[in-house]
Amino acid sequence: MTEQQRRPTLMDVAEAAGVSRALVSIVMRGAPGAAESTRQRVLETALQLGYRADSRARLLRSSRTKLLGLVFSSSQPFHAEIVDAAYAEASARGYEIALSAVAGGRPEARAIETLLDVGAEALIIIAPTLSMDELALHARQVPVVSLLRDDVGDLVDSVSSDDHAGISLAIDHLLSLGHRRIVHVDGGTAVSSDKRRETYRTEMVRHGLQPVIVPGGPGEEDGMGAGQILQADLPTAVIAFNDRSALGIMESFRAAGISIPTDVSVLGYDDSHFAKLSYVQLSSVSQDAPLLAAAAVGRAVDRIEGSEPPGSVVRTPHLVLRKTTAQLPDAGLNSS
Amino acid sequence: MTEQQRRPTLMDVAEAAGVSRALVSIVMRGAPGAAESTRQRVLETALQLGYRADSRARLLRSSRTKLLGLVFSSSQPFHAEIVDAAYAEASARGYEIALSAVAGGRPEARAIETLLDVGAEALIIIAPTLSMDELALHARQVPVVSLLRDDVGDLVDSVSSDDHAGISLAIDHLLSLGHRRIVHVDGGTAVSSDKRRETYRTEMVRHGLQPVIVPGGPGEEDGMGAGQILQADLPTAVIAFNDRSALGIMESFRAAGISIPTDVSVLGYDDSHFAKLSYVQLSSVSQDAPLLAAAAVGRAVDRIEGSEPPGSVVRTPHLVLRKTTAQLPDAGLNSS
DNA sequence: TGGTCGGACTAGAACGATCTAGAAGACTAT
DNA sequence: ATAGTCTTCTAGATCGTTCTAGTCCGACCA
């Protein structure tokens, strides 16, 4: 049923309109060099035949593909937000986005290859896990922009959020509420976990406070585990590696009858969907995904079009205060 | 800096290896017709030059693109699971997947066009929102498979989960635990909300019970709202439209001091990531995303390769029992 | 009158692969 | 020796575009 009829080509339109292929091409891409009257006629016949340019042939000929390759991880809700924003920014800049997911059994390298195969002019990789060398290798072929990771060598662009500023913001906020026993639950092996942990450590020391780091991870379960540990010697405030971890921590506290923020303040990171839920109302450090995405796309386009050298863009995150942090009642008593 | 040198072509490899382009082509795609010794030599020089076939040219020539277009919604975590599984199944079948997201400001129609432009041989659309007519229009050009929606006319394939069976399963399970006052919190305008609601209604009646439907929606907040309403006259069991809604319901109960499953049993739908969290442990109806994805990909490939007529595949969901449903202590007393 | 200019249009060569048809050489069968 | 068959390899057409280098023709100017 419904035998797929061959889709019409430039040639078909040209014949039907009684002109040359070249002229149809000119008309279709709105280039100058066609009389208004013929232009109309050609457009009309094209519409009638349901003509639709074959992007493969088009791209093959004109070396430009106007394609931006975007590698994301299908299991990260936060990446989805970025994808969303990237689409918008790219189309505003006159580019298309080719998506490629990293999934179970589909490593980053594979995702990248696919994108290069379809002719992406630049690569945007969200939180790349490849080594600096591997990234540099690709960067020799096309501009590569690393998103959310900045230690990528100087052949690769990076757009990231200032983790140092984010953690500092969190600590300052808690300090201003009178907290002094502030603990960090880290992200284990997750990207940017190291930087957040180290910033926490140095900032605490700088303020003359004792840093305490509880091992964690990027998921709810990791937070749960850390929460158990914390209960043995409850601090007055906790800075989690991310929102999901914070959720786990809060859940473990709740199960133990510890109330938030009365007994302990909790701060998340990412300002994700969860943080905004009415029954969570988690205060969190926002990296502002749409802005990051726009910056990454902008960077990629600039690299393609201009001959700018690679560089890095760092955006400053901001605090979104909700209901999980509160003033310490008996401020300034116990310090370590 | 690192001027992008033109990427090597078949011609370059051919010259370097001292053979014809055609032979290189044969070797590169592993076709028969080359002596083992030359094959090795060609492969080696190709590797040395960093040769990589240009998919645009390749696809232009060979009418086959071996590409499956997959349209998903970037804001749906459940879709991400499907994307994951689809990749695996497609590559097992020798196909590639081209992804296109529906996002804010990027309607489904746009996503589909992009995929057709790159030459997808079939379209898999997760929970399509287009009308039957619009879908049929595309189906005239390429096979279209609708995933998670089955009222799509008979030109379009569909792969869906049997909502009727899912709800029946849920009701039967609760009945077997002695529950009789079972309420359904529906999904509002979400896809397949209607079918689940109607099945609930008829199944309840069939068992001689009074159906009670509380309006809801697909999100946590919707569940919260429904939870408030339910508290006025607490049933012994609730079947939520999906897991996120169930989460909201449970949260509202928890806030009111109602304990689960002692005071009330709650059943979710989707068996999503959330349901599995150790502090949630939600019993849920699983649609088994990987299986659905595999079926959709399989269907698409069959349509492309064979000349099978469109049809629909329906998979039966199953119950995953965790800790939110329990035996009713005083079974069989009140029945509305 | 003739030369130059510019607008509208076209023929044919790219782009980088695949595919068809056939050539060259080695081997076997008659 | 001749014909037939395999295997290995190649020349050249082809996919549907865009690009380059024209051609044609009327208008304008000295």
Side-chain angles (χ1 to χ4, degrees):
Chain A
M1 45 208 33
T2 55
E3 225 36 79
Q4 338 279 13
Q5 65 273 42
R6 198 178 50 80
R7 62 196 246 177
T9 75
L10 263 195
M11 191 57 179
D12 299 325
V13 179
E15 268 172 10
V19 294
S20 71
R21 283 170 322 173
L23 189 57
V24 178
S25 169
I26 287 173
V27 171
M28 292 318 288
R29 69 203 134 97
E36 193 47 36
S37 58
T38 18
R39 190 177 290 273
Q40 288 306 328
R41 187 157 44 90
V42 169
L43 280 177
E44 204 156 313
T45 45
L47 195 66
Q48 227 154 34
L49 296 184
Y51 171 74
R52 161 172 274 282
D54 184 321
S55 75
R56 295 165 306 208
R58 179 205 295 268
L59 298 182
L60 173 57
R61 179 58 236 232
S62 59
S63 42
R64 300 300 312 277
T65 67
K66 291 258 177 182
L67 256 163
L68 259 35
L70 179 55
V71 177
F72 73 109
S73 173
S74 61
S75 62
Q76 296 287 345
F78 189 59
H79 289 197
E81 282 186 56
I82 293 179
V83 169
D84 244 56
Y87 266 118
E89 180 71 9
S91 93
R93 293 268 205 149
Y95 280 73
E96 269 289 340
I97 290 239
L99 238 43
S100 192
V102 172
R106 192 167 192 271
E108 202 166 300
R110 181 84 195 289
I112 291 176
E113 275 176 22
T114 310
L115 291 177
L116 290 178
D117 276 349
V118 303
E121 292 188 61
L123 250 36
I124 300 175
I125 311 177
I126 308 183
T129 57
L130 289 181
S131 73
M132 265 173 58
D133 288 346
E134 291 169 304
L135 287 175
L137 212 67
H138 287 122
R140 209 177 300 172
Q141 309 230 0
V142 293
V144 174
V145 179
S146 155
L147 193 44
L148 294 181
R149 172 178 155 202
D150 63 357
D151 60 327
V152 287
D154 44 7
L155 291 178
V156 175
D157 276 88
S158 74
V159 170
S160 53
S161 178
D162 188 344
D163 282 320
H164 182 83
I167 293 293
S168 299
L169 229 47
I171 291 180
D172 289 350
H173 168 63
L174 292 172
L175 286 176
S176 79
L177 291 178
H179 294 276
R180 325 231 75 209
R181 294 189 55 212
I182 304 171
V183 169
H184 177 51
V185 173
D186 87 347
T189 59
V191 179
S192 70
S193 171
D194 290 352
K195 179 154 314 163
R196 291 183 196 169
R197 187 190 311 111
E198 286 322 308
T199 300
Y200 161 79
R201 197 195 306 276
T202 56
E203 280 297 295
M204 286 295 278
V205 170
R206 197 170 68 78
H207 285 101
L209 298 174
Q210 170 80 40
V212 178
I213 294 163
V214 174
E220 288 88 350
E221 305 291 351
D222 302 307
M224 284 281 281
Q228 303 293 345
I229 298 173
L230 285 171
Q231 288 170 31
D233 179 22
L234 202 66
T236 69
V238 179
I239 299 175
F241 169 69
N242 67 8
D243 288 351
R244 292 175 63 188
S245 168
L247 232 56
I249 294 170
M250 288 165 69
E251 199 52 41
S252 120
F253 284 175
R254 173 140 69 173
I258 300 170
S259 82
I260 300 165
T262 317
D263 299 332
V264 56
S265 289
V266 176
L267 214 44
Y269 212 111
D270 278 354
D271 190 31
S272 60
H273 168 69
F274 312 109
K276 295 168 188 148
L277 290 178
S278 63
Y279 63 87
V280 176
Q281 294 281 6
L282 175 66
S283 295
S284 187
V285 177
S286 167
Q287 310 195 52
D288 217 329
L291 278 182
L292 286 176
V297 169
R299 195 83 209 132
V301 172
D302 287 351
R303 283 292 306 285
I304 292 173
E305 296 184 346
S307 50
E308 288 180 52
S312 52
V313 174
V314 176
R315 302 211 62 105
T316 308
H318 61 273
L319 262 186
V320 177
L321 295 180
R322 294 202 180 80
K323 304 195 168 163
T324 56
T325 55
Q327 185 87 35
L328 197 65
D330 50 351
L333 280 187
N334 32 357
S335 90
S336 163
Chain B
M1 32 222 45
T2 54
E3 223 38 78
Q4 336 279 17
Q5 63 273 41
R6 198 178 49 81
R7 65 195 243 176
T9 74
L10 263 196
M11 191 58 181
D12 300 326
V13 179
E15 268 173 9
V19 294
S20 71
R21 282 168 325 171
L23 189 57
V24 178
S25 170
I26 286 173
V27 171
M28 292 318 288
R29 70 203 132 94
E36 193 46 38
S37 59
T38 21
R39 190 179 288 274
Q40 287 307 328
R41 187 157 43 89
V42 169
L43 280 178
E44 202 157 313
T45 45
L47 194 65
Q48 225 154 35
L49 296 184
Y51 171 74
R52 156 174 284 282
D54 184 322
S55 75
R56 294 162 302 185
R58 181 207 296 268
L59 299 182
L60 174 59
R61 178 57 233 231
S62 60
S63 43
R64 300 299 315 275
T65 66
K66 290 256 176 185
L67 257 168
L68 259 34
L70 179 55
V71 177
F72 73 108
S73 173
S74 61
S75 61
Q76 297 286 347
F78 189 59
H79 289 197
E81 281 186 58
I82 293 178
V83 169
D84 245 56
Y87 266 119
E89 179 70 10
S91 93
R93 294 268 206 149
Y95 280 74
E96 269 288 339
I97 288 238
L99 237 43
S100 191
V102 172
R106 191 164 193 275
E108 203 167 299
R110 180 84 193 289
I112 291 176
E113 274 177 25
T114 309
L115 291 178
L116 290 179
D117 275 350
V118 302
E121 291 188 62
L123 250 34
I124 299 175
I125 312 177
I126 309 183
T129 58
L130 289 182
S131 73
M132 266 171 58
D133 289 345
E134 291 169 304
L135 286 174
L137 212 69
H138 286 121
R140 209 177 301 173
Q141 309 231 356
V142 293
V144 174
V145 178
S146 156
L147 193 43
L148 294 182
R149 173 178 155 200
D150 64 356
D151 60 328
V152 286
D154 45 7
L155 292 178
V156 175
D157 276 88
S158 75
V159 171
S160 52
S161 177
D162 187 344
D163 283 320
H164 182 84
I167 293 291
S168 299
L169 231 48
I171 291 180
D172 289 350
H173 168 62
L174 291 173
L175 286 176
S176 78
L177 292 178
H179 294 274
R180 324 232 74 211
R181 295 189 54 211
I182 304 170
V183 170
H184 177 51
V185 173
D186 85 348
T189 60
V191 179
S192 69
S193 170
D194 290 352
K195 180 156 311 168
R196 291 182 196 169
R197 189 191 309 112
E198 287 320 309
T199 300
Y200 162 78
R201 199 196 304 277
T202 56
E203 280 297 297
M204 286 295 278
V205 169
R206 198 168 68 77
H207 286 99
L209 299 173
Q210 170 80 38
V212 178
I213 295 162
V214 174
E220 287 89 350
E221 306 291 351
D222 303 307
M224 283 283 279
Q228 304 293 344
I229 297 173
L230 286 171
Q231 288 169 30
D233 180 22
L234 204 65
T236 68
V238 179
I239 300 175
F241 169 70
N242 67 9
D243 287 351
R244 291 175 62 189
S245 168
L247 232 57
I249 293 170
M250 289 165 70
E251 198 52 41
S252 118
F253 285 172
R254 171 141 69 174
I258 300 169
S259 83
I260 298 167
T262 317
D263 299 332
V264 57
S265 289
V266 176
L267 214 44
Y269 211 110
D270 278 354
D271 190 31
S272 59
H273 168 70
F274 312 110
K276 296 167 188 148
L277 290 178
S278 62
Y279 63 87
V280 175
Q281 294 279 8
L282 175 65
S283 296
S284 187
V285 177
S286 167
Q287 311 195 53
D288 217 329
L291 278 183
L292 285 177
V297 168
R299 195 82 210 130
V301 172
D302 287 350
R303 283 291 306 284
I304 291 173
E305 297 184 346
S307 50
E308 288 182 53
S312 50
V313 175
V314 176
R315 302 212 62 105
T316 307
H318 61 274
L319 262 185
V320 177
L321 295 180
R322 296 204 179 80
K323 303 195 168 163
T324 56
T325 54
Q327 184 89 35
L328 196 64
D330 50 351
L333 280 189
N334 31 358
S335 88
S336 166

